[in-house]
Coordinates of all heavy atoms in Angstrom, one line a residue:
D1 N -160.3 -35.9 -90.4 CA -160.8 -37.0 -89.6 C -162.3 -36.6 -89.2 O -162.6 -35.5 -88.9 CB -159.9 -37.0 -88.3 CG -160.5 -37.9 -87.3 OD1 -160.2 -39.1 -87.3 OD2 -161.2 -37.4 -86.4
Q2 N -163.1 -37.6 -89.4 CA -164.6 -37.4 -89.2 C -164.9 -37.1 -87.8 O -165.8 -36.2 -87.6 CB -165.3 -38.7 -89.6 CG -165.1 -39.1 -91.1 CD -165.5 -38.0 -92.1 OE1 -166.7 -37.7 -92.1 NE2 -164.6 -37.5 -92.8
D3 N -164.3 -37.6 -86.8 CA -164.6 -37.3 -85.4 C -164.2 -35.9 -85.1 O -164.9 -35.2 -84.4 CB -163.8 -38.2 -84.4 CG -164.4 -39.7 -84.4 OD1 -165.6 -39.8 -84.7 OD2 -163.6 -40.6 -84.2
L4 N -163.1 -35.4 -85.7 CA -162.7 -34.0 -85.5 C -163.7 -33.1 -86.1 O -164.1 -32.1 -85.5 CB -161.3 -33.8 -86.0 CG -160.7 -32.4 -85.8 CD1 -160.7 -32.0 -84.3 CD2 -159.3 -32.3 -86.4
L5 N -164.1 -33.4 -87.3 CA -165.1 -32.5 -88.0 C -166.4 -32.4 -87.1 O -167.0 -31.4 -87.0 CB -165.5 -33.1 -89.4 CG -164.5 -32.8 -90.5 CD1 -164.9 -33.6 -91.8 CD2 -164.5 -31.3 -90.8
N6 N -166.9 -33.6 -86.6 CA -168.0 -33.6 -85.8 C -167.8 -32.8 -84.5 O -168.7 -32.0 -84.1 CB -168.5 -35.0 -85.4 CG -169.8 -35.0 -84.7 OD1 -170.8 -34.4 -85.1 ND2 -169.8 -35.8 -83.6
A7 N -166.7 -32.9 -83.9 CA -166.4 -32.1 -82.7 C -166.4 -30.6 -82.9 O -166.9 -29.9 -82.2 CB -165.0 -32.6 -82.1
V8 N -165.7 -30.2 -84.0 CA -165.7 -28.8 -84.4 C -167.1 -28.3 -84.7 O -167.5 -27.2 -84.2 CB -164.7 -28.5 -85.5 CG1 -164.8 -27.1 -86.0 CG2 -163.3 -28.9 -85.0
A9 N -167.8 -29.1 -85.5 CA -169.2 -28.7 -85.9 C -170.0 -28.6 -84.6 O -170.8 -27.6 -84.4 CB -169.8 -29.7 -86.8
S10 N -169.9 -29.5 -83.7 CA -170.7 -29.5 -82.4 C -170.3 -28.3 -81.6 O -171.2 -27.7 -80.9 CB -170.5 -30.8 -81.7 OG -171.0 -31.9 -82.4
A11 N -169.0 -28.0 -81.6 CA -168.6 -26.8 -80.8 C -169.3 -25.5 -81.3 O -169.8 -24.7 -80.6 CB -167.1 -26.6 -80.8
Y12 N -169.2 -25.4 -82.6 CA -169.9 -24.2 -83.3 C -171.4 -24.2 -83.0 O -172.0 -23.2 -82.7 CB -169.7 -24.1 -84.8 CG -168.3 -23.6 -85.1 CD1 -167.4 -24.3 -85.9 CD2 -167.9 -22.3 -84.8 CE1 -166.2 -23.8 -86.2 CE2 -166.7 -21.8 -85.1 CZ -165.8 -22.5 -85.8 OH -164.6 -22.0 -86.2
F13 N -172.0 -25.4 -83.0 CA -173.4 -25.6 -82.7 C -173.7 -25.1 -81.3 O -174.7 -24.4 -81.1 CB -173.8 -27.1 -82.9 CG -175.2 -27.4 -82.4 CD1 -176.2 -27.3 -83.3 CD2 -175.4 -28.0 -81.2 CE1 -177.5 -27.6 -82.9 CE2 -176.7 -28.3 -80.8 CZ -177.8 -28.1 -81.7
L14 N -172.9 -25.5 -80.3 CA -173.1 -25.1 -79.0 C -172.9 -23.6 -78.8 O -173.5 -23.0 -77.8 CB -172.2 -25.9 -78.0 CG -172.5 -27.4 -77.9 CD1 -171.4 -28.1 -77.1 CD2 -173.9 -27.6 -77.3
L15 N -172.1 -23.0 -79.6 CA -171.9 -21.5 -79.6 C -173.0 -20.8 -80.4 O -172.9 -19.5 -80.5 CB -170.5 -21.2 -80.1 CG -169.3 -21.7 -79.3 CD1 -168.0 -21.5 -80.1 CD2 -169.3 -20.9 -78.0
S16 N -173.9 -21.5 -80.9 CA -175.0 -20.9 -81.8 C -174.5 -20.3 -83.0 O -175.1 -19.4 -83.6 CB -175.9 -19.9 -81.0 OG -176.5 -20.6 -79.9
D17 N -173.3 -20.7 -83.5 CA -172.8 -20.3 -84.8 C -173.1 -21.3 -85.8 O -172.3 -22.2 -86.2 CB -171.2 -20.1 -84.7 CG -170.6 -19.5 -85.9 OD1 -171.3 -19.5 -87.0 OD2 -169.4 -19.2 -85.9
Y18 N -174.4 -21.3 -86.2 CA -174.9 -22.3 -87.1 C -174.4 -22.4 -88.5 O -174.3 -23.4 -89.1 CB -176.5 -22.2 -87.1 CG -177.0 -22.3 -85.7 CD1 -177.6 -21.3 -85.1 CD2 -176.9 -23.5 -84.9 CE1 -178.1 -21.3 -83.8 CE2 -177.4 -23.6 -83.7 CZ -178.0 -22.5 -83.1 OH -178.5 -22.6 -81.8
Q19 N -174.0 -21.2 -89.0 CA -173.3 -21.2 -90.3 C -172.0 -22.0 -90.3 O -171.7 -22.8 -91.2 CB -173.1 -19.8 -90.8 CG -174.4 -19.0 -91.1 CD -175.1 -19.5 -92.3 OE1 -174.6 -20.3 -93.2 NE2 -176.4 -19.2 -92.4
S20 N -171.2 -21.7 -89.3 CA -169.9 -22.4 -89.2 C -170.1 -23.9 -88.9 O -169.4 -24.8 -89.4 CB -169.0 -21.8 -88.1 OG -168.7 -20.5 -88.4
A21 N -171.1 -24.2 -88.0 CA -171.5 -25.6 -87.7 C -171.8 -26.3 -89.0 O -171.3 -27.4 -89.3 CB -172.6 -25.7 -86.7
N22 N -172.7 -25.7 -89.8 CA -173.1 -26.3 -91.1 C -171.9 -26.5 -92.0 O -171.8 -27.6 -92.6 CB -174.1 -25.4 -91.8 CG -174.6 -26.1 -93.0 OD1 -175.0 -27.2 -93.1 ND2 -174.6 -25.3 -94.1
A23 N -171.0 -25.6 -92.0 CA -169.8 -25.7 -92.9 C -169.0 -27.0 -92.5 O -168.5 -27.7 -93.4 CB -168.9 -24.5 -92.8
H24 N -169.0 -27.3 -91.3 CA -168.3 -28.5 -90.8 C -169.1 -29.8 -90.9 O -168.7 -30.8 -91.4 CB -167.7 -28.3 -89.4 CG -166.6 -27.4 -89.4 ND1 -166.8 -26.0 -89.4 CD2 -165.3 -27.5 -89.4 CE1 -165.6 -25.4 -89.4 NE2 -164.7 -26.3 -89.4
F25 N -170.4 -29.7 -90.5 CA -171.3 -30.9 -90.6 C -171.4 -31.3 -92.0 O -171.4 -32.5 -92.3 CB -172.7 -30.6 -90.1 CG -172.8 -30.7 -88.6 CD1 -173.4 -29.6 -87.9 CD2 -172.5 -31.8 -87.9 CE1 -173.6 -29.7 -86.5 CE2 -172.6 -31.9 -86.5 CZ -173.2 -30.8 -85.8
S26 N -171.4 -30.4 -93.0 CA -171.6 -30.8 -94.4 C -170.4 -31.5 -95.0 O -170.5 -32.1 -96.0 CB -172.0 -29.5 -95.2 OG -170.9 -28.7 -95.2
R27 N -169.3 -31.5 -94.3 CA -168.1 -32.1 -94.8 C -167.9 -33.6 -94.2 O -167.0 -34.3 -94.6 CB -166.8 -31.3 -94.4 CG -166.8 -30.0 -95.1 CD -165.7 -29.1 -94.7 NE -164.4 -29.7 -94.6 CZ -163.4 -29.3 -93.8 NH1 -163.5 -28.3 -93.0 NH2 -162.3 -30.0 -93.8
I28 N -168.8 -33.9 -93.3 CA -168.8 -35.3 -92.7 C -169.3 -36.3 -93.7 O -170.3 -36.0 -94.4 CB -169.6 -35.3 -91.4 CG1 -168.9 -34.4 -90.3 CG2 -169.8 -36.7 -90.9 CD1 -169.7 -34.2 -89.0
N29 N -168.7 -37.4 -93.7 CA -169.1 -38.5 -94.6 C -170.6 -38.7 -94.5 O -171.1 -39.0 -93.3 CB -168.4 -39.8 -94.3 CG -168.7 -40.9 -95.2 OD1 -169.8 -41.1 -95.7 ND2 -167.6 -41.7 -95.4
P30 N -171.4 -38.7 -95.5 CA -172.9 -38.9 -95.5 C -173.3 -40.2 -94.8 O -174.4 -40.3 -94.2 CB -173.3 -38.9 -96.9 CG -172.3 -38.1 -97.6 CD -171.0 -38.4 -96.9
K31 N -172.4 -41.2 -94.8 CA -172.8 -42.5 -94.2 C -172.8 -42.4 -92.7 O -173.4 -43.2 -92.0 CB -171.8 -43.6 -94.6 CG -171.9 -44.0 -96.0 CD -170.9 -45.0 -96.4 CE -171.0 -45.3 -97.9 NZ -169.9 -46.3 -98.3
L32 N -172.1 -41.3 -92.1 CA -172.0 -41.1 -90.7 C -173.2 -40.2 -90.2 O -173.4 -40.2 -89.0 CB -170.7 -40.6 -90.3 CG -169.5 -41.4 -90.6 CD1 -168.2 -40.7 -90.2 CD2 -169.6 -42.8 -89.9
V33 N -173.8 -39.5 -91.1 CA -174.9 -38.6 -90.7 C -176.1 -39.4 -90.1 O -176.8 -38.8 -89.3 CB -175.3 -37.7 -91.9 CG1 -176.5 -36.8 -91.5 CG2 -174.1 -36.8 -92.2
N34 N -176.2 -40.6 -90.4 CA -177.3 -41.4 -89.8 C -177.1 -41.7 -88.3 O -178.0 -42.2 -87.7 CB -177.6 -42.6 -90.6 CG -176.5 -43.7 -90.6 OD1 -175.4 -43.4 -90.2 ND2 -176.8 -44.9 -90.9
K35 N -175.9 -41.5 -87.8 CA -175.6 -41.7 -86.4 C -176.2 -40.6 -85.6 O -176.0 -39.4 -85.9 CB -174.1 -41.8 -86.2 CG -173.4 -42.8 -87.0 CD -173.6 -44.2 -86.4 CE -172.7 -45.2 -87.1 NZ -173.3 -46.5 -87.1
P36 N -177.0 -40.9 -84.5 CA -177.6 -39.8 -83.8 C -176.6 -38.8 -83.2 O -176.9 -37.6 -83.2 CB -178.3 -40.6 -82.6 CG -178.3 -42.0 -83.0 CD -177.2 -42.2 -84.0
E37 N -175.4 -39.2 -82.9 CA -174.4 -38.3 -82.4 C -174.0 -37.2 -83.4 O -173.4 -36.2 -83.0 CB -173.1 -39.1 -81.9 CG -173.4 -40.1 -80.9 CD -173.9 -41.4 -81.4 OE1 -174.2 -41.6 -82.6 OE2 -174.1 -42.3 -80.5
V38 N -174.3 -37.4 -84.6 CA -173.9 -36.5 -85.7 C -175.2 -35.9 -86.3 O -175.4 -34.7 -86.3 CB -173.2 -37.2 -86.9 CG1 -172.9 -36.2 -88.0 CG2 -171.9 -37.8 -86.3
G39 N -176.1 -36.7 -86.7 CA -177.3 -36.3 -87.4 C -178.3 -35.4 -86.7 O -178.9 -34.5 -87.3
L40 N -178.4 -35.6 -85.4 CA -179.4 -34.8 -84.7 C -179.0 -33.3 -84.6 O -179.8 -32.4 -84.9 CB -179.6 -35.3 -83.3 CG -180.3 -36.7 -83.2 CD1 -180.4 -37.2 -81.8 CD2 -181.7 -36.7 -83.9
N41 N -177.7 -33.1 -84.3 CA -177.3 -31.7 -84.2 C -177.2 -31.1 -85.6 O -177.5 -29.9 -85.8 CB -175.9 -31.5 -83.5 CG -176.0 -31.7 -82.0 OD1 -177.1 -31.7 -81.4 ND2 -174.9 -31.9 -81.4
Y42 N -176.9 -31.9 -86.6 CA -176.8 -31.4 -88.0 C -178.2 -31.0 -88.4 O -178.4 -29.9 -89.0 CB -176.3 -32.5 -88.9 CG -176.0 -32.1 -90.3 CD1 -175.9 -30.7 -90.7 CD2 -175.8 -33.0 -91.3 CE1 -175.6 -30.4 -92.0 CE2 -175.5 -32.7 -92.6 CZ -175.4 -31.4 -93.0 OH -175.1 -31.0 -94.3
A43 N -179.2 -31.8 -88.1 CA -180.6 -31.5 -88.5 C -181.1 -30.1 -87.8 O -181.7 -29.3 -88.5 CB -181.6 -32.6 -88.1
V44 N -180.8 -30.0 -86.6 CA -181.1 -28.7 -85.9 C -180.4 -27.5 -86.5 O -181.0 -26.5 -86.8 CB -180.8 -28.8 -84.4 CG1 -181.0 -27.4 -83.7 CG2 -181.7 -29.9 -83.7
T45 N -179.1 -27.7 -86.8 CA -178.3 -26.7 -87.5 C -179.0 -26.3 -88.8 O -179.1 -25.1 -89.0 CB -176.9 -27.2 -87.7 OG1 -176.3 -27.4 -86.5 CG2 -176.1 -26.2 -88.5
L46 N -179.4 -27.2 -89.6 CA -180.0 -26.9 -90.9 C -181.3 -26.1 -90.7 O -181.5 -25.2 -91.4 CB -180.2 -28.2 -91.7 CG -179.0 -28.9 -92.2 CD1 -179.3 -30.3 -92.7 CD2 -178.4 -28.0 -93.3
K47 N -182.1 -26.5 -89.7 CA -183.3 -25.7 -89.5 C -183.0 -24.3 -89.0 O -183.6 -23.4 -89.5 CB -184.2 -26.4 -88.5 CG -185.5 -25.7 -88.3 CD -186.6 -26.4 -87.6 CE -187.9 -25.5 -87.5 NZ -188.9 -26.1 -86.9
K48 N -182.0 -24.2 -88.2 CA -181.7 -22.9 -87.7 C -181.2 -21.9 -88.8 O -181.4 -20.7 -88.6 CB -180.5 -23.0 -86.6 CG -180.9 -23.6 -85.3 CD -181.7 -22.7 -84.5 CE -181.9 -23.3 -83.1 NZ -182.7 -22.4 -82.2
I49 N -180.6 -22.5 -89.9 CA -180.2 -21.6 -91.0 C -181.2 -21.6 -92.1 O -180.9 -21.1 -93.2 CB -178.8 -22.0 -91.5 CG1 -178.8 -23.4 -92.1 CG2 -177.8 -21.8 -90.4 CD1 -177.4 -23.7 -92.8
G50 N -182.4 -22.0 -91.8 CA -183.5 -21.9 -92.8 C -183.6 -23.0 -93.8 O -184.4 -22.9 -94.7
K51 N -182.9 -24.1 -93.6 CA -182.9 -25.2 -94.6 C -183.8 -26.3 -94.0 O -183.3 -27.4 -93.7 CB -181.5 -25.7 -94.9 CG -180.7 -24.7 -95.6 CD -179.3 -25.2 -95.9 CE -178.5 -24.1 -96.7 NZ -177.2 -24.6 -97.2
V52 N -185.1 -26.0 -93.9 CA -186.0 -26.9 -93.2 C -186.2 -28.3 -93.9 O -186.1 -29.3 -93.3 CB -187.4 -26.2 -93.1 CG1 -188.4 -27.1 -92.4 CG2 -187.3 -24.9 -92.3
G53 N -186.3 -28.2 -95.2 CA -186.4 -29.5 -96.0 C -185.2 -30.4 -95.8 O -185.3 -31.6 -95.6
E54 N -184.0 -29.8 -95.9 CA -182.8 -30.6 -95.7 C -182.7 -31.1 -94.3 O -182.3 -32.2 -94.0 CB -181.6 -29.7 -96.0 CG -181.3 -29.4 -97.4 CD -180.1 -28.6 -97.7 OE1 -179.0 -29.0 -97.2 OE2 -180.2 -27.6 -98.3
A55 N -183.2 -30.3 -93.3 CA -183.1 -30.7 -91.9 C -184.0 -31.9 -91.7 O -183.6 -32.9 -91.0 CB -183.6 -29.6 -91.0
Q56 N -185.2 -31.9 -92.3 CA -186.1 -33.0 -92.2 C -185.5 -34.3 -92.8 O -185.6 -35.4 -92.3 CB -187.5 -32.7 -92.7 CG -188.2 -31.7 -91.9 CD -189.5 -31.1 -92.4 OE1 -189.6 -31.1 -93.7 NE2 -190.3 -30.7 -91.6
K57 N -184.9 -34.1 -94.0 CA -184.2 -35.2 -94.7 C -183.1 -35.9 -93.8 O -183.1 -37.1 -93.7 CB -183.7 -34.7 -96.0 CG -183.5 -35.7 -97.1 CD -183.1 -35.0 -98.3 CE -183.5 -35.8 -99.5 NZ -183.2 -35.2 -100.8
V58 N -182.3 -35.0 -93.2 CA -181.2 -35.5 -92.4 C -181.8 -36.3 -91.2 O -181.4 -37.4 -90.9 CB -180.3 -34.4 -91.9 CG1 -179.4 -34.8 -90.8 CG2 -179.5 -33.9 -93.1
F59 N -182.8 -35.7 -90.5 CA -183.5 -36.3 -89.4 C -184.0 -37.6 -89.7 O -183.9 -38.6 -89.0 CB -184.6 -35.4 -88.8 CG -185.2 -36.0 -87.6 CD1 -184.6 -36.0 -86.4 CD2 -186.4 -36.7 -87.7 CE1 -185.2 -36.6 -85.3 CE2 -187.0 -37.3 -86.6 CZ -186.4 -37.3 -85.4
E60 N -184.7 -37.7 -90.9 CA -185.3 -39.0 -91.3 C -184.3 -40.1 -91.5 O -184.6 -41.3 -91.4 CB -186.1 -38.8 -92.6 CG -187.4 -38.0 -92.3 CD -188.1 -37.5 -93.6 OE1 -187.6 -37.8 -94.7 OE2 -189.1 -36.8 -93.5
S61 N -183.0 -39.7 -91.8 CA -182.0 -40.7 -92.0 C -181.3 -41.2 -90.7 O -180.6 -42.2 -90.7 CB -180.9 -40.1 -92.9 OG -180.0 -39.2 -92.2
V62 N -181.6 -40.5 -89.6 CA -180.9 -40.8 -88.3 C -181.5 -42.0 -87.7 O -182.8 -42.2 -87.6 CB -181.1 -39.6 -87.3 CG1 -180.5 -40.0 -86.0 CG2 -180.3 -38.4 -87.9
E63 N -180.7 -42.9 -87.3 CA -181.1 -44.2 -86.6 C -181.7 -43.8 -85.3 O -181.1 -43.0 -84.6 CB -179.9 -45.1 -86.4 CG -179.2 -45.6 -87.7 CD -177.9 -46.2 -87.4 OE1 -177.4 -46.2 -86.2 OE2 -177.3 -46.7 -88.4
K64 N -182.8 -44.4 -84.9 CA -183.4 -44.2 -83.6 C -182.5 -44.7 -82.5 O -182.1 -45.9 -82.6 CB -184.8 -44.8 -83.5 CG -185.6 -44.2 -82.5 CD -187.1 -44.5 -82.7 CE -187.9 -43.6 -81.8 NZ -189.3 -43.7 -82.1
P65 N -182.0 -43.8 -81.6 CA -181.0 -44.3 -80.6 C -181.6 -45.2 -79.5 O -182.8 -45.1 -79.2 CB -180.6 -42.9 -80.0 CG -181.6 -42.0 -80.3 CD -182.4 -42.4 -81.5
R66 N -180.8 -46.1 -79.1 CA -181.1 -47.0 -78.0 C -180.8 -46.4 -76.6 O -181.4 -46.8 -75.6 CB -180.4 -48.3 -78.2 CG -180.9 -49.0 -79.5 CD -180.1 -50.3 -79.7 NE -180.3 -50.7 -81.1 CZ -180.0 -51.8 -81.6 NH1 -179.4 -52.7 -80.8 NH2 -180.2 -52.1 -82.9
N67 N -179.8 -45.6 -76.6 CA -179.4 -44.9 -75.3 C -180.5 -44.0 -74.9 O -181.0 -43.2 -75.7 CB -178.1 -44.1 -75.7 CG -177.7 -43.2 -74.6 OD1 -178.3 -42.2 -74.3 ND2 -176.6 -43.5 -73.9
A68 N -180.8 -44.0 -73.6 CA -182.0 -43.3 -73.1 C -181.8 -41.8 -73.2 O -182.7 -41.0 -73.6 CB -182.2 -43.6 -71.6
G69 N -180.6 -41.3 -73.0 CA -180.3 -39.8 -73.1 C -180.5 -39.4 -74.5 O -181.1 -38.3 -74.8
L70 N -179.9 -40.1 -75.4 CA -180.0 -39.8 -76.9 C -181.4 -39.9 -77.4 O -181.9 -39.2 -78.2 CB -179.1 -40.6 -77.7 CG -177.6 -40.1 -77.9 CD1 -176.8 -41.1 -78.7 CD2 -177.6 -38.7 -78.5
A71 N -182.2 -40.9 -76.8 CA -183.6 -41.1 -77.2 C -184.4 -39.9 -76.9 O -185.3 -39.5 -77.6 CB -184.1 -42.4 -76.6
R72 N -184.1 -39.3 -75.7 CA -184.9 -38.1 -75.3 C -184.5 -36.9 -76.2 O -185.4 -36.1 -76.6 CB -184.5 -37.7 -73.8 CG -185.3 -38.6 -72.8 CD -185.1 -38.1 -71.4 NE -183.8 -38.1 -70.9 CZ -183.2 -39.2 -70.4 NH1 -183.8 -40.3 -70.2 NH2 -181.9 -39.1 -69.9
Y73 N -183.2 -36.8 -76.5 CA -182.8 -35.7 -77.4 C -183.4 -36.0 -78.8 O -183.9 -35.0 -79.5 CB -181.3 -35.7 -77.5 CG -180.8 -34.5 -78.3 CD1 -181.2 -33.2 -78.1 CD2 -179.8 -34.7 -79.3 CE1 -180.8 -32.1 -78.8 CE2 -179.3 -33.6 -80.0 CZ -179.8 -32.3 -79.8 OH -179.3 -31.3 -80.5
Y74 N -183.5 -37.2 -79.3 CA -184.1 -37.5 -80.6 C -185.5 -37.1 -80.6 O -186.0 -36.4 -81.5 CB -184.0 -39.0 -80.8 CG -184.6 -39.6 -82.1 CD1 -183.8 -39.8 -83.2 CD2 -186.0 -39.9 -82.1 CE1 -184.4 -40.2 -84.4 CE2 -186.5 -40.4 -83.3 CZ -185.8 -40.5 -84.4 OH -186.3 -41.0 -85.6
A75 N -186.3 -37.3 -79.5 CA -187.7 -36.9 -79.4 C -187.8 -35.4 -79.4 O -188.7 -34.8 -80.0 CB -188.3 -37.5 -78.2
S76 N -186.9 -34.8 -78.7 CA -186.9 -33.3 -78.7 C -186.6 -32.7 -80.1 O -187.3 -31.8 -80.5 CB -185.8 -32.8 -77.7 OG -185.6 -31.4 -77.7
V77 N -185.7 -33.2 -80.8 CA -185.4 -32.8 -82.1 C -186.5 -33.0 -83.1 O -186.9 -32.2 -83.9 CB -184.1 -33.4 -82.7 CG1 -183.9 -33.1 -84.2 CG2 -182.9 -32.9 -81.9
E78 N -187.2 -34.2 -82.9 CA -188.3 -34.6 -83.7 C -189.4 -33.5 -83.5 O -190.0 -33.1 -84.5 CB -188.8 -36.0 -83.3 CG -190.0 -36.5 -84.1 CD -190.3 -37.9 -83.6 OE1 -190.4 -38.2 -82.4 OE2 -190.5 -38.8 -84.5
N79 N -189.7 -33.2 -82.3 CA -190.7 -32.1 -82.0 C -190.3 -30.8 -82.6 O -191.1 -30.1 -83.1 CB -190.9 -32.0 -80.5 CG -191.7 -33.2 -79.9 OD1 -192.5 -33.8 -80.6 ND2 -191.5 -33.5 -78.7
Y80 N -189.1 -30.4 -82.4 CA -188.6 -29.1 -82.9 C -188.7 -29.0 -84.4 O -189.1 -28.0 -85.0 CB -187.1 -28.9 -82.5 CG -186.5 -27.7 -83.1 CD1 -186.9 -26.4 -82.6 CD2 -185.5 -27.8 -84.1 CE1 -186.3 -25.3 -83.2 CE2 -184.9 -26.7 -84.6 CZ -185.3 -25.4 -84.2 OH -184.8 -24.3 -84.7
L81 N -188.5 -30.1 -85.1 CA -188.6 -30.1 -86.6 C -190.0 -30.3 -87.0 O -190.3 -30.2 -88.2 CB -187.7 -31.2 -87.2 CG -186.2 -31.1 -87.0 CD1 -185.5 -32.3 -87.5 CD2 -185.7 -29.8 -87.6
G82 N -190.9 -30.6 -86.1 CA -192.3 -30.8 -86.5 C -192.5 -32.1 -87.2 O -193.5 -32.2 -87.9
E83 N -191.7 -33.1 -86.9 CA -191.8 -34.4 -87.6 C -192.9 -35.2 -86.9 O -193.5 -36.1 -87.6 CB -190.5 -35.1 -87.5 CG -189.4 -34.6 -88.4 CD -189.7 -34.9 -89.9 OE1 -190.1 -36.0 -90.2 OE2 -189.4 -34.0 -90.7
K84 N -193.1 -35.0 -85.6 CA -194.0 -35.9 -84.9 C -195.4 -35.5 -85.3 O -195.8 -34.4 -85.2 CB -193.8 -35.8 -83.4 CG -194.4 -36.9 -82.6 CD -193.8 -37.0 -81.2 CE -194.1 -38.3 -80.6 NZ -193.4 -38.5 -79.4
Q85 N -196.2 -36.5 -85.7 CA -197.5 -36.3 -86.1 C -198.5 -36.7 -85.0 O -198.4 -37.6 -84.3 CB -197.8 -37.2 -87.3 CG -196.9 -36.9 -88.5 CD -197.0 -35.6 -89.2 OE1 -198.1 -35.2 -89.4 NE2 -195.9 -34.9 -89.5

């Protein structure tokens, strides 16, 4: 189940176990990675494990969120990845 994969990946992400988080994020349907609830943490995870190019690619696919809280997190991830020019 995709929601379960995201929940487990996010739990590992919050524990700073980025290798395990990546193992779960990478199993999520690619069509769902464009959702901010999935793609933002996945992009950060990829950068944390040294996959900067992949992280930027994932981030670029994420839909810009309309929710104010997610929009702030989106901007934070954008800055972290060095995407903002």
